[in-house]
Amino acid sequence: MSLSFIVREGFSGFGRAKMPAAITVTISFFALVLLGLFSTVSLSFFDIIQELRSRMELEVFLADSLTEAQAAGITGKIRELDGVRDAVYVTREEAASIFSRDFGEDVVRILGSNPLPRSVRLKFQPEYARPDSIAKVVPLISGLAPGLEVRYNQKYLGQIEQNGKLFTLLTGGMGLLIAVATVVLIGYTIRLALYSRQEKIRTMRLVGATAWFIGAPYVIEGALQGILSGLLAAGAVYVVFEQLLFTYEPAMYEILHPSALLIYPSLVLLGLALGIFGSTLSVGKYLRAASKR
């Protein structure tokens, strides 16, 4: 009986405070929409960072004194290093063919011989394609045989990491601000509801009602506000991506769509969590203050 009373009170409280609840839901809706759009772009950005990392190549130039068997052995050892996704041995002839393809010139015809060295091209798993990880691998490769020369684009890799860290800070800070604002708004609405019914709460305390029994309906009320905001925000983000973006910017849609599929349910769950958290804080603070009177 008490549980059904708590649930009914939570729903009826949401209906009684129509104006404050509507204002909170509306503001929370816009905050969650902004957070949803921002999060979708952020997740897509991190996917792009991972893709760029997976394309990162390190090239090991082999000394002319090494035999083909030694070159094959070195390639095998490189392939076994932690974080190495693939290692391909490139012969002189293949190097000349790559040069011709990239620059449109036949180096053998121009110079009369092939000066290009043999090499091993390797790619890393995305989580290993970082400056600190590669810095540990380079000495291991150099120590496999004398005369090995390791080259990779350190500046390019450093820029990827720098941009990734900067974007993480920006997205994390923005997300935290929006979440805090939503919690404060929902908590403020619940606080108003508590003050408007303080006589009823005082009577309930006098007859022996526990803090949980008094506060639970208001937590349910906050949860309802949060989940309603989340549902509306998920619907709005869906319209932006699945209707507008799909129609007018299909290329951008292809990039953002995988991340957007994660955002829709996340917004509903986030709205629910923020609603429960904000109302719980507000109810706890109010009841602690009331108990001291």
Side-chain angles (χ1 to χ4, degrees):
M1 181 67 181
S2 61
L3 181 60
S4 61
F5 170 78
I6 289 171
V7 174
R8 285 199 309 273
E9 279 294 299
F11 278 87
S12 62
F14 184 78
R16 282 195 294 266
K18 291 185 178 64
M19 183 58 69
I23 294 173
T24 300
V25 168
T26 301
I27 297 176
S28 300
F29 159 75
F30 284 112
L32 288 173
V33 167
L34 180 61
L35 186 60
L37 296 174
F38 204 67
S39 299
T40 303
V41 174
S42 300
L43 289 175
S44 299
F45 176 81
F46 290 127
D47 289 341
I48 293 172
I49 289 290
Q50 289 294 87
E51 177 65 22
L52 291 174
R53 283 176 177 156
S54 68
R55 295 182 182 181
M56 175 67 192
E57 283 192 354
L58 186 147
E59 194 162 11
V60 182
F61 293 100
L62 307 177
D64 293 337
S65 59
L66 294 173
T67 65
E68 288 296 318
Q70 289 173 323
I74 291 171
T75 303
K77 291 178 181 178
I78 291 175
R79 194 176 286 121
E80 293 173 358
L81 293 174
D82 289 340
V84 175
R85 179 163 56 91
D86 190 23
V88 178
Y89 174 56
V90 181
T91 64
R92 290 178 180 275
E93 292 73 20
E94 289 170 336
S97 177
I98 293 171
F99 184 92
S100 177
R101 183 193 65 199
D102 292 344
F103 298 99
E105 297 288 349
D106 187 346
V107 68
V108 177
R109 182 180 60 80
I110 295 173
L111 300 178
S113 63
N114 185 0
L116 300 176
R118 297 169 297 169
S119 65
V120 179
R121 289 188 173 183
L122 58 143
K123 292 184 178 181
F124 293 89
Q125 297 171 6
E127 60 270 20
Y128 281 87
R130 301 173 182 273
D132 53 347
S133 299
I134 293 180
K136 295 177 182 177
V137 172
V138 170
L140 297 177
I141 296 175
S142 299
L144 292 176
L148 297 185
E149 184 180 354
V150 182
R151 292 183 185 178
Y152 66 98
N153 195 334
Q154 292 177 297
K155 184 178 180 181
Y156 170 76
L157 187 61
Q159 286 177 339
I160 291 177
E161 292 304 307
Q162 184 178 358
N163 292 334
K165 289 178 181 178
L166 178 61
F167 203 76
T168 299
L169 289 174
L170 290 175
T171 54
M174 182 68 71
L176 182 62
L177 286 175
I178 294 174
V180 170
T182 304
V183 167
V184 170
L185 285 168
I186 292 175
Y188 178 74
T189 303
I190 298 301
R191 188 84 56 84
L192 288 177
L194 287 164
Y195 278 115
S196 67
R197 286 166 244 169
Q198 56 185 338
E199 292 300 327
K200 181 179 179 179
I201 293 172
R202 187 177 293 113
T203 302
M204 292 174 69
R205 292 177 67 88
L206 289 174
V207 298
T210 64
W212 180 87
F213 187 82
I214 296 172
Y218 301 100
V219 175
I220 293 175
E221 186 177 337
L224 288 173
Q225 293 178 10
I227 198 169
L228 181 57
S229 302
L231 285 169
L232 292 173
V237 174
Y238 176 86
V239 170
V240 170
F241 285 111
E242 305 298 333
Q243 301 298 323
L244 297 179
L245 204 63
F246 178 77
T247 303
Y248 298 105
E249 290 291 341
M252 186 73 69
Y253 171 82
E254 290 297 326
I255 296 173
L256 298 178
H257 179 64
S259 299
L261 292 177
L262 298 174
I263 294 300
Y264 303 142
S266 299
L267 283 176
V268 179
L269 294 175
L270 180 61
L272 174 63
L274 293 177
I276 293 174
F277 183 66
S279 56
T280 300
L281 286 179
S282 185
V283 168
K285 186 175 181 180
Y286 176 86
L287 293 178
R288 284 194 299 271
S291 64
K292 296 178 182 178
R293 297 170 189 168

